[in-house]
Amino acid sequence: MRYGVLLALCAYSVIADTLRIPIITQERFPGQPSEKRAIVGLPPGRSFARLTLFTRLNCPCGPGLGEWDYTVRFFATRPTGQRDSTGAPILERIEIARFITPYAANRPSNWQWTWQWDITDYRFLFTDSTEVVVAYQGWTHSALFTVWLEAIEGVPPYEVFALDQVIDGSFPYGNPADPIDRYTTGKQFRVPADAQIVKLRITTTGHGFGGTDNAAEFADKTHTVVVNTTATYAHRLWRDDCGWNPVYPQDGTWPLARAGWCPGDVVRPWERWITGVVTPGAVGRLDYRMQPFVNEQFSAHPSSYLITAQLLYARTPAMQRRAMLAAIETPTDDPMMRRLNPSCGKPAVIVRNAGRDSIASVLIEYAFDGGPVQSFRWQALQPLALDQQARIELPTHVVPLDTPAVRRLDVSIRKVNDQPNEETLLSNAVARFSDVPTLPGDSVVVYFKTNRSAREQGLAWTLRRLDDDSLIAERRNLDDETTDIVALALEDGCYQFRFDNPAGYGLAWWATAQQLGGGALWISARGKRVFTLEGDCGNGYIYNFRIGAVPQINVPRDTVDFGATPVGVPVYRRLVIKPATGAALQIKQLQVSSFPANLGFRIASIEPMLPPEGIWLRSTDSLTVMLEYSPPQEETRVRTAALVVNSNDYDEPSIRIPMRGTTPTVTGVEYHQAVEWSIAPIPARERVIVKASVPIEGCRIVTLDGRQIAVPQVVLDRGTVELDCSELSVGVYAVIVRWAGGQQAVPFIVVR
């Protein structure tokens, strides 16, 4: 799986200064191609280890406001030494970044997303007064743009001091009368005599569709790059991972593969170090040759490539052994990594070589939540050359905490090739992350209903136990419009469920709904649905979870009987709440429920105190609740109420513990058992059924202000009565259930 991000910056702990330089803030581009400019200044005489360009888009959006996928280019300008007819200096625009806006018309008003690019190679262009241009190539108004730079002071991996931009423009592709190679071949450049290393960077995106091969946006083509007629490289201009874009769902055809770009993603340049095939001080030649192609419908559906090709000239890396942390992939709450997280598997980091020596091994130290530091020595199968990256899995799985919290992973690269890492600035990173959900493993069910093209699209799911990377279950090659149900009993451990659609159409997508219909996929554990697949998920979805002890409450359920209590002499009963398993139990709320509310029951005290956000009880903790009954007046009836306990109990997040009390004036009635009752459905629509553990002598419905409402009733048996609610208005009511020696007010809600 690949992700549309050049650099996923972590929350780096840096000692050096970090400058934040605004370019534009909360500005909307008009409904036509347009530009915004700003003068940016970096302090002269200071070195920066990293220069990062950030762009944030945010709504409100809507039709004509951030609705479509449009190209945005970022330029830094430099003087050419020439002047125009007015005497003004002519500036050359150097493209430093490119991205395509997402389909965002229907995003919520508080939606926002931030993209970023490592533009350290262009640091030499930024003086104390460099003009930066943001060029929007759209035909409707944009979302709100905020663009800024961040510069971290320090030593860069290598110093780029000059460049040649030999190709820059949009050129027709597939027009025999105007072949594109005339614009992209025979490009000459002169390598500076003091250039020690040379990089070739080509940024290409295909545009236009509807003609032959749906070119060039949806045409899969491989181009050829030739340097000095001797070195030949293949450049396949194709992004087949758009359906894994972390910016999802979008409103348009975001998951479809495209020629070098994806909606809502950065454009990735094609790069090669070509130091060995060019000569310092000599003239070189670049031929960027396109795959032969004729668009038979070019006049009606023109196709083109937007191309920038640059030669970057640099000096040898400043350090010999230098490894940098480009990203923490898992676990992290970084939005760019949301497709993989939250995770309970092994941490994964991206390491980049920024030194002169190839990297054969690195020693990484890491720690969870400030705990013991662990070490891991990674050995490369193929040494990493300059700028090359490797994904490294650290051996220790993410272990759960006893109570949920925002967690922390610290990672540091200590050694390179068994010698101290010379990088002290960008080799340390911190990731904040959240835990995966924990489920009971005794009855896990995967429900999968395929659409009308399951076989053709290759719909499949797999379930793996990450502790030992074992395959637990999978479904492939299912028939179209088939319902498949798999029941599993899972051992404790960390699991990954993965759904795949190689075609990129998700499971239920608006663009294919009429032709393919829609499917459904969900997972339940112990009868509770814990995961439902969002149909518009592109190429797939990953859901990580842990099997283990789930929170359950240990509290007496018997009726709390206060007995005959005189007016003015309160009686107290103690209730102790504990976790029933090793999982932490969160008590969210305790309250007394009665109808009417002034029956004399209340919570006298809670120890320890219950804060508004709730309290977490570990396996050895308990919560003591002191209940009080003090009848406000003498009555010849039984008073009843309930203590409602809201918690994170997996099976019963809300329970009601009955409470009962009388006054000494009640005579002639013996209570041999608590009266158990229930009412369903809640909320009610057409009817409610009241059940009691004793014969019901009568029922009546009242409003909250005490008005009685007559409704048809049917006695189903001695302890069951059905009441017709079809004529009741939407609102809150109570059923007064009467039996020999007492009555109970049972609240319920009517909805339509």
Side-chain angles (χ1 to χ4, degrees):
M1 186 189 309
R2 300 191 301 275
Y3 295 89
V5 57
L6 289 179
L7 177 68
L9 293 178
C10 306
Y12 284 99
S13 302
V14 294
I15 300 175
D17 292 336
T18 298
L19 301 180
R20 190 182 193 277
I21 306 168
I23 298 175
I24 58 176
T25 303
Q26 290 287 95
E27 295 188 30
R28 209 184 284 276
F29 286 90
Q32 61 187 21
S34 54
E35 298 176 349
K36 296 184 183 293
R37 298 177 174 84
I39 300 299
V40 171
L42 286 179
R46 292 170 64 178
S47 176
F48 294 95
R50 174 170 288 156
L51 186 62
T52 307
L53 174 70
F54 291 87
T55 295
R56 183 177 68 241
L57 265 58
N58 65 279
C59 291
C61 301
L65 294 176
E67 181 178 10
W68 296 102
D69 53 333
Y70 289 127
T71 303
V72 181
R73 304 176 75 191
F74 302 85
F75 301 96
T77 62
R78 67 177 176 179
T80 62
Q82 301 175 336
R83 295 183 179 272
D84 61 17
S85 58
T86 67
I90 297 175
L91 302 178
E92 181 185 14
R93 294 183 173 188
I94 305 299
E95 184 174 12
I96 59 175
R98 187 186 307 178
F99 96 114
I100 313 296
T101 60
Y103 297 96
N106 296 318
R107 296 304 91 199
S109 60
N110 62 348
W111 176 86
Q112 67 176 29
W113 198 272
T114 301
W115 296 263
Q116 54 197 45
W117 299 258
D118 183 346
I119 60 168
T120 310
D121 285 351
Y122 300 105
R123 162 66 183 95
F124 76 100
L125 296 174
F126 289 87
T127 63
D128 57 355
S129 58
T130 299
E131 184 181 58
V132 174
V133 181
V134 183
Y136 173 74
Q137 299 180 351
W139 294 98
T140 64
H141 287 74
S142 71
L144 292 167
F145 270 75
T146 299
V147 182
W148 71 97
L149 291 174
E150 286 188 6
I152 300 176
E153 193 169 10
V155 179
Y158 45 84
E159 180 191 356
V160 177
F161 64 90
L163 68 77
D164 283 318
Q165 188 163 266
V166 295
I167 304 174
D168 183 44
S170 179
F171 310 110
Y173 179 52
N175 182 3
D178 191 11
I180 192 172
D181 282 2
R182 64 186 292 189
Y183 302 99
T184 62
T185 60
K187 301 299 178 180
Q188 292 189 340
F189 55 90
R190 180 177 292 276
V191 181
D194 54 349
Q196 296 172 314
I197 53 176
V198 180
K199 179 189 288 187
L200 173 62
R201 173 177 292 150
I202 299 177
T203 305
T204 305
T205 49
H207 303 275
F209 59 92
T212 305
D213 288 356
N214 228 356
E217 180 175 341
F218 298 106
D220 182 359
K221 305 295 182 181
T222 298
H223 306 157
T224 302
V225 181
V226 181
V227 181
N228 284 346
T229 71
T230 56
T232 303
Y233 311 94
H235 176 203
R236 185 189 180 203
L237 186 69
W238 196 237
R239 285 288 302 273
D240 57 4
D241 59 346
C242 293
W244 285 110
N245 194 335
V247 187
Y248 89 101
Q250 298 178 37
D251 304 318
T253 57
W254 66 273
L256 300 182
R258 285 173 164 86
W261 60 276
C262 299
D265 199 2
V266 301
V267 176
R268 305 169 184 165
W270 178 91
E271 295 182 339
R272 287 291 186 277
W273 286 104
I274 58 170
T275 307
V277 297
V278 296
T279 303
V283 173
R285 174 189 170 110
L286 172 68
D287 293 321
Y288 186 29
R289 300 170 183 169
M290 301 302 160
Q291 183 174 330
F293 167 72
V294 175
N295 184 353
E296 303 290 351
Q297 306 173 53
F298 188 88
S299 296
H301 302 285
S303 45
S304 63
Y305 285 127
L306 179 59
I307 305 172
T308 299
Q310 300 169 345
L311 283 302
L312 292 91
Y313 310 114
R315 297 184 174 90
T316 301
M319 300 180 191
Q320 181 177 348
R321 295 177 303 276
R322 188 179 195 184
M324 304 169 67
L325 269 173
I328 294 179
E329 190 176 89
T330 60
T332 179
D333 287 338
D334 181 353
M336 293 304 295
M337 300 298 178
R338 65 187 287 238
R339 287 292 204 158
L340 298 173
N341 290 279
S343 171
C344 56
K346 298 176 180 178
V349 299
I350 308 298
V351 172
R352 173 189 172 198
N353 184 8
R356 295 193 299 272
D357 288 356
S358 294
I359 293 180
S361 68
V362 293
L363 179 70
I364 298 176
E365 293 183 351
Y366 60 104
F368 295 101
D369 309 307
V373 175
Q374 305 177 59
S375 297
F376 175 65
R377 184 182 183 276
W378 173 79
Q379 184 75 37
L381 295 177
Q382 182 73 29
L384 300 180
L386 178 63
D387 263 358
Q388 288 185 335
Q389 298 185 155
R391 180 183 182 273
I392 299 175
E393 278 193 351
L394 306 178
T396 305
H397 281 70
V398 180
V399 295
L401 291 180
D402 52 2
T403 56
V406 177
R407 305 187 59 185
R408 171 183 175 127
L409 172 63
D410 290 78
V411 183
S412 179
I413 305 175
R414 293 301 185 191
K415 292 186 177 182
V416 176
N417 299 338
D418 298 321
Q419 298 295 320
N421 185 12
E422 295 180 56
E423 169 61 68
T424 59
L425 180 63
L426 301 177
S427 61
N428 307 297
V430 177
R432 308 288 179 178
F433 68 95
S434 304
D435 260 328
V436 299
T438 298
L439 313 177
D442 48 2
S443 54
V444 176
V445 174
V446 180
Y447 173 95
F448 187 24
K449 178 182 178 297
T450 64
N451 60 22
R452 292 198 290 266
S453 184
R455 283 189 176 274
E456 181 179 357
Q457 293 179 65
L459 300 187
W461 65 259
T462 57
L463 177 65
R464 308 192 74 88
R465 188 171 186 268
L466 298 183
D467 302 77
D468 54 10
D469 197 33
S470 58
L471 179 65
I472 303 301
E474 67 176 338
R475 284 295 185 270
R476 300 183 183 277
N477 302 316
L478 289 176
D479 290 332
D480 301 344
E481 296 188 294
T482 296
T483 298
D484 180 77
I485 301 175
V486 179
L488 302 166
L490 302 178
E491 300 177 353
D492 287 1
C494 172
Y495 291 82
Q496 182 176 95
F497 178 88
R498 174 167 172 153
F499 167 77
D500 282 287
N501 181 345
Y505 300 158
L507 189 57
W509 189 33
W510 67 269
T512 58
Q514 185 173 0
Q515 178 185 2
L516 307 181
L521 191 154
W522 49 261
I523 299 173
S524 68
R526 201 181 287 169
K528 178 180 178 181
R529 188 176 297 192
V530 294
F531 167 71
T532 300
L533 179 68
E534 187 173 10
D536 190 3
C537 61
N539 282 118
Y541 193 92
I542 290 174
Y543 173 66
N544 298 308
F545 61 93
R546 185 179 286 110
I547 294 294
V550 294
Q552 291 186 306
I553 193 169
N554 177 4
V555 63
R557 307 296 183 92
D558 296 336
T559 298
V560 179
D561 194 342
F562 291 89
T565 304
V567 174
V569 183
V571 175
Y572 298 92
R573 297 288 185 267
R574 189 168 70 100
L575 196 70
V576 178
I577 301 174
K578 299 179 180 180
T581 68
L585 178 71
Q586 184 188 24
I587 304 301
K588 300 178 180 180
Q589 187 182 46
L590 295 171
Q591 62 180 359
V592 171
S593 173
S594 65
F595 189 85
N598 57 345
L599 295 181
F601 298 93
R602 75 180 188 94
I603 298 174
S605 66
I606 303 174
E607 181 63 36
M609 183 181 66
L610 182 65
E613 67 274 14
I615 189 171
W616 287 95
L617 303 178
R618 296 174 174 83
S619 58
T620 58
D621 297 336
S622 64
L623 188 72
T624 300
V625 183
M626 193 64 69
L627 301 172
E628 177 187 306
Y629 174 57
S630 181
Q633 61 187 22
E634 293 185 353
E635 291 185 291
T636 57
R637 69 182 181 91
V638 175
R639 294 171 177 267
T640 59
L643 175 67
V644 181
V645 183
N646 294 319
S647 72
N648 67 334
D649 184 290
Y650 182 85
D651 297 308
E652 296 181 275
S654 182
I655 63 172
R656 298 171 63 92
I657 301 173
M659 296 188 292
R660 181 179 64 199
T662 64
T663 61
T665 57
V666 178
T667 59
V669 178
E670 294 184 5
Y671 299 95
H672 299 290
Q673 62 176 353
V675 177
E676 303 290 340
W677 55 266
S678 67
I679 182 170
I682 293 179
R685 296 181 183 271
E686 302 297 327
R687 61 174 187 150
V688 293
I689 296 177
V690 179
K691 294 184 178 182
S693 59
V694 297
I696 296 176
E697 294 188 351
C699 290
R700 55 193 174 96
I701 292 181
V702 297
T703 62
L704 291 182
D705 58 7
R707 292 182 295 108
Q708 183 168 322
I709 301 177
V711 299
Q713 304 182 21
V714 177
V715 178
L716 301 180
D717 57 48
R718 296 180 64 194
T720 308
V721 176
E722 179 183 283
L723 297 95
D724 186 346
C725 300
S726 60
E727 299 300 322
L728 294 180
S729 301
V730 173
V732 181
Y733 301 86
V735 178
I736 307 298
V737 185
R738 182 167 51 84
W739 59 86
Q743 62 182 11
Q744 171 70 50
V746 185
F748 71 99
I749 300 173
V750 174
V751 299
R752 294 285 179 252

